[in-house]
Amino acid sequence: MAKTSSKANSNTHPLHINTLAVREAVERSQYGENSEALYLTSSFVQPDAATAARRFAGEEEGYIYSRFTNPTVVSMERRLAALEGTEACIATSSGMAAILTMCLGLLKAGDHVVCSQSVFGSTIKLIASEMGKFGVQSTFVAQTDLAQWQNAIRPNTKILFAETPTNPLTEVCDIKALADMAHKAGAWLAVDNCFCSPALQRPVELGADLIIHSGTKYLDGQGRVLAGAICCPQKMIDESFMPLMRSAGMSLSPFNAWVVLKGLETLAIRMQAQSASALDLATWLEQHPKVARVYYPGLVSHPQHELAMRQQSGCGGAVLSFDVVGGAESGGGPAQARTNAFAVIDATQVMSITANLGDTKTTITHPASTSHGRLTEVQRQAAGIGQGLIRVAVGLEHLDDLKSDLRRGLDTLP
Ligand SMILES: *Cc1c(COP(=O)(O)O)cnc(C)c1O
């Protein structure tokens, strides 16, 4: 990979993370652009045949072909690595491509993965079914039960995979405890940091070895592109991920990298503003008579509230969920709970009914019939995803408009 030093990087004193979020990038081109250039090119012209030969052989740095090196993509990688506090980063075409890259780069047939059963649904399918086809073994454990994680570890365990907080119930696991457990077993801890982003949580400081990102969410922050990344030691990229990327090509397009690069400049202030609104909304919902329960790490009622506050810069994040009344708690059943949840969702006029999150536009969704719709009712019950559950990923609209939007449906529930 081309290593070009930027002004931000060569400063005599270490810069603050918020400065790096705006400044870290490859050096400017000869035109002196202030906003980083978008190098929308598939390949790079070599000055002569001998230089080309040296670059292809890895004896000289220089850009060759955008499947494995592109200056815009490198800028995004360097900026994200600076934010996460890791040595390096490798960008991928989506969040799932990042997890695939991790699996293909670090695992072989006969290796074992321990993973939380509450992680993103496609992650479970990828690790259990797709990697299972190639002889990778996996065990899924309860997110917050450290004894289950410990008991699942085998001599061939290579990776512990966690995501915190989870979607949609915002369950929080103890990154430091899992990192210690992984290292004692000679395994790596990978953390999907999608919900908090490095603005609120830096898993590497708690001992995690790899940080996984869906750049599609808060890193872009405006719901425009798919992107992904792994933040990890340089050695892991050089030995495992870069050779894989060169052969397999789950590369991030320069255009999408540029969008994420610009998104990172506003990440911290977006996360703070959206989390503050989420806390206000969660507090308000908890007092609403038509709301049975609210799931949000920033609330004292959250089972892992203290851990979340310690681990997430005192912040709950921008995603919350709540159960509307009408379910078992009020003598109803799943059908009534679902009718009520649909009524609240359909009464919104501002929020977008869509399963994406991490956008400046607030999104609202019914997990039981969308993201978790492929589970059986029994599996859903076990996962705690009831028919009355609604997830809201809070954006940047005015809080009063968001409250009115939810009040419209809630106030009319039976
Ligand atoms: C969306 C998401 C992913 C997958 O990311 P894509 O960019 O959609 O491939 C992985 N993990 C979490 C927690 C997510 O929310």
Side-chain angles (χ1 to χ4, degrees):
M1 186 185 311
K3 290 187 194 97
T4 38
S5 71
S6 67
K7 193 175 160 208
N9 222 24
S10 56
N11 239 303
T12 46
H13 66 94
L15 294 171
H16 291 88
I17 287 176
N18 286 357
T19 304
L20 295 174
V22 178
R23 293 281 172 180
E24 180 64 20
V26 301
E27 66 204 355
R28 291 190 175 103
S29 80
Q30 71 272 33
Y31 299 116
E33 65 281 353
N34 189 34
S35 173
E36 292 78 13
L38 167 50
Y39 292 96
L40 207 50
T41 179
S42 41
S43 72
F44 295 84
V45 177
Q46 307 301 316
D48 51 68
T51 308
R54 284 194 303 277
R55 288 182 180 172
F56 269 81
E59 293 159 9
E60 180 184 309
E61 282 177 5
Y63 293 99
I64 301 170
Y65 189 64
S66 289
R67 187 181 338 106
F68 41 99
T69 47
N70 175 284
T72 309
V73 178
V74 172
S75 284
M76 193 225 95
E77 292 170 337
R78 284 181 35 176
R79 192 169 285 183
L80 185 56
L83 297 189
E84 283 290 2
T86 56
E87 256 172 38
C89 168
I90 186 162
T92 57
S93 55
S94 68
M96 292 321 301
I99 302 173
L100 176 67
T101 301
M102 177 197 78
C103 290
L104 293 178
L106 299 181
L107 300 172
K108 60 181 187 320
D111 287 344
H112 177 242
V113 178
V114 182
C115 182
S116 161
Q117 67 195 13
S118 307
V119 299
F120 192 64
S122 296
T123 305
I124 294 179
K125 290 237 182 272
L126 175 63
I127 293 174
S129 309
E130 304 300 340
M131 295 313 295
K133 286 195 286 199
F134 301 98
V136 170
Q137 305 162 12
S138 50
T139 307
F140 293 86
V141 297
Q143 169 87 351
T144 59
D145 186 345
L146 286 173
Q148 272 197 40
W149 286 86
Q150 184 64 60
N151 291 337
I153 291 177
R154 307 175 189 164
N156 56 338
T157 301
K158 288 281 156 54
I159 296 176
L160 269 58
F161 191 95
E163 180 187 312
T164 181
T166 58
N167 178 30
L169 295 177
T170 71
E171 292 174 289
V172 175
C173 65
D174 188 332
I175 296 173
K176 172 99 180 41
L178 290 178
D180 291 346
M181 196 185 286
H183 298 156
K184 266 198 204 104
W188 292 293
L189 174 66
V191 175
D192 184 330
N193 201 22
C194 176
F195 268 49
C196 276
S197 89
L200 302 185
Q201 173 171 278
R202 256 179 234 109
V204 77
E205 290 172 1
L206 301 165
D209 303 286
L210 300 96
I211 321 303
I212 305 290
H213 272 292
S214 167
T216 316
K217 314 294 169 51
Y218 292 102
L219 306 189
D220 165 15
Q222 293 177 64
R224 298 166 292 196
V225 298
L226 287 178
I230 304 174
C231 296
C232 63
Q234 183 70 51
K235 187 166 180 277
M236 213 179 246
I237 290 183
D238 293 345
E239 291 176 1
S240 301
F241 301 144
M242 190 48 89
L244 173 69
M245 186 67 73
R246 203 163 168 163
S247 308
M250 52 291 256
S251 334
L252 183 60
S253 90
F255 181 81
N256 288 7
W258 183 81
V259 171
V260 173
L261 180 73
K262 305 311 285 181
L264 290 176
E265 295 180 9
T266 55
L267 177 67
I269 54 169
R270 280 187 284 108
M271 289 310 293
Q272 280 151 19
Q274 291 175 224
S275 298
S277 285
L279 176 59
D280 194 310
L281 202 61
T283 307
W284 175 78
L285 281 167
E286 206 167 40
Q287 280 146 19
H288 196 286
K290 297 298 165 70
V291 172
R293 181 169 172 191
V294 182
Y295 306 83
Y296 181 67
L299 293 176
V300 179
S301 60
H302 189 282
Q304 297 95 39
H305 173 68
E306 275 167 34
L307 171 63
M309 292 301 98
R310 227 177 28 245
Q311 201 165 263
Q312 302 176 194
S313 317
C315 229
V319 178
L320 62 90
S321 294
F322 60 99
D323 283 312
V324 295
V325 294
E329 88 298 328
S330 51
Q336 184 60 49
R338 181 181 173 117
T339 302
N340 287 357
F342 277 23
V344 171
I345 292 169
D346 289 341
T348 59
Q349 295 169 359
V350 174
M351 298 182 185
S352 309
I353 306 176
T354 176
N356 196 25
L357 63 98
D359 200 315
T360 51
K361 293 180 169 64
T362 298
T363 63
I364 186 165
T365 181
H366 181 249
S369 61
T370 58
S371 53
H372 295 70
R374 285 182 292 176
L375 303 181
T376 64
E377 190 59 37
V378 175
Q379 285 174 316
R380 260 196 302 277
Q381 299 278 337
I385 318 272
Q387 291 291 342
L389 188 74
I390 294 174
R391 190 200 72 192
V392 175
V394 181
L396 285 178
E397 302 93 339
H398 197 287
L399 203 45
D400 291 347
D401 294 332
L402 298 180
K403 285 182 187 165
S404 310
D405 224 26
L406 292 175
R407 193 186 289 122
R408 202 174 297 116
L410 283 172
D411 285 354
T412 57
L413 289 186

